[in-house]
Amino acid sequence: MEVKVTSNDEFAARAADYAEAAINSQSVRNLCFPTGDTPQAMYRELVRRFERGELSFAQVHAFGLDEWGDLSADDPSRCIARLRHELYDLVDLPASQIHYLEPNHSNVAQMCRQYEDEIAACGGLTLSIVGIGLNGHVGFNEPGSQVTDGTRVVSLAARTKQVASKYNLGMIPDWGVTMGLATLLASQQVLILATGEHKASIVRELLQAEPSEQLPASWFLRHPQCVLLLDEAAASEL
Ligand code: GLP
C-alpha cells in the first residue's frame, strides 16, 4: 500500500486524478464508487472536469460499492440515489452501464451472485474507490468479514449504525449489501480515501496492523496496487 498525503485543498483533485486515469485507461474502464461524506469533493471535481470537456464517462461501467437494507426503492438516502445525484446524472454515463445493488430484490442472494457475474462479464474492476469506516470497515465489510467473502448481505456493526445517523436516513437499517473483500481485492487498483481528524486514529491503526479479520481494510495492505490517499488531518497521527 502506498500512502499519499495531500493538503485538504488538494485532496479532491488528487483523488479525481486516480479516477481520471482509470476512466482513460486503454483496456476496461470499470470503476467501483463509494458513497459517504469523503468522496463528495472528488465527485464535484470529476463533474467539473466533465463539464470542461476534459473527461468522458461514455465507456465507463460504474459499480456501486454498497447499499443500505430496508430503505424503499425511491429513498433519496439510498447509495444509488446519492451516486446519481452527486455523479451519474451529471455526466455522460450511459444508464445501461450503471450497476447497483438492490437489497429489495426478491432473491437477494441471487442478486449478489449476479452482481459478481456482471463485474466478471465487464472484464473485472479497473479501480475500486472506497472509504474507510471508523471501525476499519470497507463498504459494509465489517470486522469479522473474511478475505474470501464476495458480494453479500451483511449485518451492520453497532458503530456503523451509530455513525449512520449523520446521513439523515429515515431509519437506521440493521443490515446492508456490500461488495466483498475478495471482490474488491481482485480489482486491478484500489484507492482508499480518508479525510478529517476523526479518521486519524483508524488510519494509524491500519498502517500499524497486520492483515486480520478485525480490521477489514488491513487486507489491502498487501494489494499490489493500492493507494491510501489522506488529507493532512487524517494523516495527523502518523
Ligand atoms: C459507510 C459506508 C462506506 C463508507 C464509509 C465511510 O458506512 N458503508 O461505504 O465509505 O462508511 O463514510 P464517510 O465517508 O461518510 O466517512
Side-chain angles (χ1 to χ4, degrees):
M1 181 185 285
E2 190 183 352
V3 182
K4 296 222 165 158
V5 181
T6 74
S7 67
N8 188 272
D9 288 352
E10 289 273 299
F11 184 84
R14 293 294 74 76
D17 288 346
Y18 286 101
E20 182 176 327
I23 288 167
N24 288 334
S25 97
Q26 291 308 306
S27 53
V28 289
R29 300 164 178 207
N30 305 331
L31 280 80
C32 158
F33 289 115
T35 47
D37 293 337
T38 314
Q40 288 183 23
M42 173 187 72
Y43 292 146
R44 285 194 294 274
E45 176 63 19
L46 288 171
V47 171
R48 271 194 294 272
R49 291 180 189 190
F50 164 73
E51 287 171 345
R52 290 198 298 253
E54 297 166 4
L55 188 61
S56 169
F57 289 74
Q59 307 296 324
V60 169
H61 278 265
F63 290 85
L65 172 63
D66 52 11
E67 188 58 85
W68 304 100
D70 281 340
L71 301 186
S72 67
D74 58 354
D75 192 313
S77 301
R78 290 219 327 179
C79 298
I80 179 60
R82 291 191 59 172
L83 284 170
R84 286 189 196 284
H85 183 69
E86 292 167 17
L87 182 68
Y88 298 169
D89 289 351
L90 307 178
V91 297
D92 60 342
L93 177 64
S96 60
Q97 290 162 213
I98 296 173
H99 308 260
Y100 59 97
L101 294 159
E102 181 45 88
N104 299 335
H105 193 283
S106 56
N107 186 337
V108 74
Q110 187 192 8
M111 183 280 299
C112 290
R113 283 193 299 275
Q114 278 170 2
Y115 207 65
E116 295 278 346
D117 291 346
E118 282 171 42
I119 295 170
C122 292
L125 292 166
T126 316
L127 173 67
S128 289
I129 305 175
V130 299
I132 179 169
L134 293 179
N135 64 355
H137 76 201
V138 173
F140 282 136
N141 292 286
E142 302 282 21
S145 295
Q146 307 288 306
V147 69
T148 50
D149 282 334
T151 299
R152 69 203 187 288
V153 173
V154 285
S155 297
L156 302 183
R159 189 87 188 271
T160 299
K161 290 193 270 185
Q162 224 173 23
V163 174
S165 57
K166 73 175 177 167
Y167 300 126
N168 296 319
L169 307 169
M171 44 89 75
I172 307 287
D174 291 322
W175 62 282
V177 183
T178 186
M179 286 168 65
L181 290 174
T183 321
L184 294 164
L185 285 161
S187 224
Q188 284 174 31
Q189 290 177 291
V190 178
L191 176 63
I192 305 179
L193 305 176
T195 56
E197 244 171 75
H198 64 302
K199 294 283 171 79
S201 72
I202 191 64
V203 164
R204 175 180 41 78
E205 275 178 54
L206 168 62
L207 293 175
Q208 290 172 346
E210 286 297 314
S212 94
E213 282 170 23
Q214 293 323 304
L215 209 170
S218 64
W219 295 105
F220 294 91
L221 289 165
R222 292 189 184 158
H223 189 284
Q225 285 202 64
C226 178
V227 171
L228 174 64
L229 183 67
L230 308 171
D231 71 354
E232 282 161 354
S236 59
E237 291 189 20
L238 302 182

